[in-house]
Amino acid sequence: MFIFLPCLSFIDFSVRLCALYNNLSQVKVTPWDPDNTVHIDEIYTQLCWFRDDKRPSGIKQDKLADYCDIFKGKTNKPNPDRILVYGRPGIGKFTFAQKISIDWARGKKEILKKFDLLLMIPLRNVCESETFYDILKAAKLFSLEDQRLTDSLYSYILQHKDKVLLVLDGFDEYSARTRSIVFDIWKGDELRECAVILTTRPIKEDEVKRFSQVQFQIKGFDWIQIKEFSMKFLSSQQEVEVFLSYIKKHRLEEIAEIPLLLLMLCLVWKERDREGLPESRVYLYSEFIQALCNHMAAKDGEETVNSIEDYNDELIQVGELAFNALLTNSLEFDFENLPNEFLSSRLIRVGIIQIVKLFSARPKKVVAFLHKSIQEFLAAWFVIHKLIPSTKNNISRMTKIDSTEKAVAMVEVLKFVSQWSLEGSSAVLLHLESLRKKQSLFEQSSSETLFLEDLFDDVRKLLELNLECFIETPVLAKAEAYPLLLKSTGGVLVIPDMMLHLLVDDHVLKVNVLPNYTFFDFRRPPSQNQRDHIASIMEDLNVVVTTASGERKASDFVRKLSKFEVLTSLFLKRQEDKLYLLFTQVAGIDVGILKEL
């Protein structure tokens, strides 16, 4: 039963929310030091935003000039009120949620002035909420002495829905144990007239995108923004140039375009000898944790600094808890599950894991992680140091990842494991093979031709996951891991359009073992670069096409295709010791080229 106070003006709520968001304007420069903060304007760097434009031919992406363009609709929906924002881990989704809240509080963006109230709600904090009123209480939008205003705020929102913007941050971190009130809001079953922005990782995008009216992807930084961001952390222009040269030399651009990982690179760069800087995410995270430990040792005045390996037993224990929590889609675990000896652990002192007290009807403590990607790294540490060494007779020990759905949910963990070593990559491919056999995902007669459309969604996801994890294998180990990839997939490769360039860069398919089938899976209309990538892959695999005058190199044929839509109908099939280029359609092929076939 609610006890409603006299209805207050939105100004009463706005003043308090502005105070809350202005407090958020101070952000930590280093994640481990809560006192080392600067104003967000000193550190914020514009992100690359893209609008998904759905067309009959696929999805085309248009770049935005400013994040405020997400409120601009289309002809059929000029004022969208269900706005989906998605992006990879660490790409800046939470920073965007902070930024839009602060911009509203300061009246900085004209388009935000139409909202009397903006409520920024981190969804990881409201998983126990069963009603929107519960969400308002759990979100702690007001100070303790003003909590009584929650009733009036709830009443005001119900009466002025069209003047309220809800920013629901981190759907991938949300796991409702009962009724999903957040999903009801997003679908419009509740608060239909409110404008809602929902942020999530791509892994949860499919669950919510059908209810969105517009969709936007944050892609992180381009090269100019990488330089701009680096200059805010490094001491001089000269040091920034050396740092950027290091990134280019070691092909770390894909890491650097993710703001969180670029921050880590900058911190590790300042912490240690440049010659030993990491070249993959798994080692970058190892060095990041080492940097945290180094910083704490310096702060404590210790003469000797322990290696991260000295904390191996603790990391394995926490990693197992992180692993089990991820299986239940949780970013935390109960405090009771933390071993007593961990209360004085350096992992807590440096902030890798944090003890958080939840205020609810039943107050309790939980253990949370610095960032979801840190949790995934720790889960991978557990797999690498505990599960893989116990693997015998080619039997996978990752038995808790027992479905395609769980494998997809744990993809970042599996990628970390694959990056570690050939042994790690082999263990992942072995496990994915066991999932394929266990589920009998597809069987086809050798005399029949398999088509991409024959593969169910789960099949396609698992095959793409195989390739995604294989790509993470250390460069020097890829040739040895490749036969294991084909064994894991049953000889069927499904190459999504966004992975084409990753296979071309190191020519990883240029080996003697041939797949039975190779499919190219396009989500968007193919581009000139993608045509060239396909041609390059065909050269690596020595693919041929049968023409009226005999066999010829398929790569030459593909490069002559002037209409790129045809690329979506190409696939490769093995016959004896050769791969042949086949089509599922000929519409769109130039007449001159068609006559050659």
Side-chain angles (χ1 to χ4, degrees), residues 170-359:
F171 184 73
D172 53 284
E173 301 179 8
Y174 174 72
S175 56
R177 295 195 173 100
T178 54
R179 172 193 171 203
S180 177
I181 178 61
V182 169
F183 207 62
D184 288 344
I185 293 171
W186 180 243
K187 289 189 297 182
D189 292 344
E190 290 202 26
L191 304 176
R192 184 171 300 172
E193 290 79 26
C194 287
V196 183
I197 296 174
L198 183 71
T199 75
T200 185
R201 286 185 178 188
I203 197 168
K204 288 286 186 177
E205 177 198 356
D206 287 341
E207 294 183 25
V208 292
K209 67 181 179 183
R210 63 194 173 106
F211 300 107
S212 63
Q213 292 158 353
V214 284
Q215 300 168 18
F216 300 90
Q217 182 180 10
I218 301 177
K219 289 191 175 181
F221 294 148
D222 58 23
W223 187 249
I224 293 174
Q225 293 161 342
I226 289 172
K227 182 175 182 179
E228 180 185 345
F229 185 86
S230 302
M231 291 181 68
K232 295 175 181 179
F233 284 90
L234 303 182
S235 59
S236 66
Q237 176 74 32
Q238 182 179 4
E239 185 177 12
V240 169
E241 294 300 332
V242 176
F243 176 66
L244 297 179
S245 296
Y246 170 84
I247 289 175
K248 282 187 173 180
K249 177 182 177 182
H250 295 285
R251 294 187 295 178
L252 296 176
E253 289 93 339
E254 286 199 14
I255 285 180
E257 70 185 22
I258 300 175
L260 178 65
L261 298 189
L262 179 56
L263 170 61
M264 289 186 180
L265 271 175
C266 289
L267 297 177
V268 173
W269 175 269
K270 293 168 69 173
E271 188 75 18
R272 59 172 289 145
D273 175 28
R274 295 162 191 170
E275 293 302 317
L277 280 172
E279 299 176 28
S280 70
R281 281 198 314 143
V282 68
Y283 292 110
L284 174 58
Y285 276 76
S286 298
E287 291 299 335
F288 178 61
I289 292 178
Q290 184 68 63
L292 293 177
C293 294
N294 293 352
H295 179 82
M296 184 58 67
K299 192 172 181 179
D300 292 345
E302 297 176 6
E303 294 183 2
T304 59
V305 179
N306 290 335
S307 164
I308 186 176
E309 296 292 341
D310 295 328
Y311 304 103
N312 186 46
D313 291 342
E314 293 179 42
L315 289 169
I316 289 175
Q317 285 181 284
V318 175
E320 184 173 9
L321 293 169
F323 183 88
N324 291 333
L326 285 169
L327 285 172
T328 62
N329 194 32
S330 177
L331 300 183
E332 58 199 29
F333 57 87
D334 289 342
F335 177 76
E336 289 76 13
N337 294 331
L338 188 70
N340 289 333
E341 60 268 23
F342 263 70
L343 295 177
S344 59
S345 169
R346 173 152 292 187
L347 298 183
I348 293 179
R349 293 192 61 213
V350 302
I352 296 170
I353 55 176
Q354 304 165 2
I355 299 174
V356 180
K357 188 174 182 180
L358 296 183
F359 295 92

Side-chain angles (χ1 to χ4, degrees), residues 145 152 278 448 481 502 589:
E145 59 269 23
S152 294
E448 297 177 346
L502 299 175
I589 300 179

Side-chain angles (χ1 to χ4, degrees), residues 531 545-549 552-564 566 570 581 583 586 588-597:
R531 185 195 67 177
V545 60
T546 302
T547 68
S549 59
R552 55 180 288 192
K553 289 175 63 177
S555 56
D556 292 341
F557 181 84
V558 169
R559 287 193 172 98
K560 291 176 66 177
L561 295 175
S562 57
K563 296 185 178 180
F564 300 140
V566 183
L570 305 183
L581 173 63
F583 299 81
V586 293
I589 300 179
D590 295 338
V591 175
I593 297 176
L594 193 57
K595 286 181 178 179
E596 296 182 28
L597 296 178

Side-chain angles (χ1 to χ4, degrees), residues 31-43:
W32 59 75
D33 189 351
D35 298 323
N36 185 13
T37 63
V38 297
H39 194 278
I40 192 170
D41 290 344
E42 297 295 323
I43 196 173

Side-chain angles (χ1 to χ4, degrees), residues 569-587:
S569 75
L570 305 183
F571 70 102
L572 312 180
K573 181 180 179 181
R574 180 180 176 182
Q575 295 179 6
E576 297 181 353
D577 60 346
K578 285 184 182 180
L579 274 177
Y580 287 85
L581 173 63
L582 282 75
F583 299 81
T584 58
Q585 65 180 37
V586 293

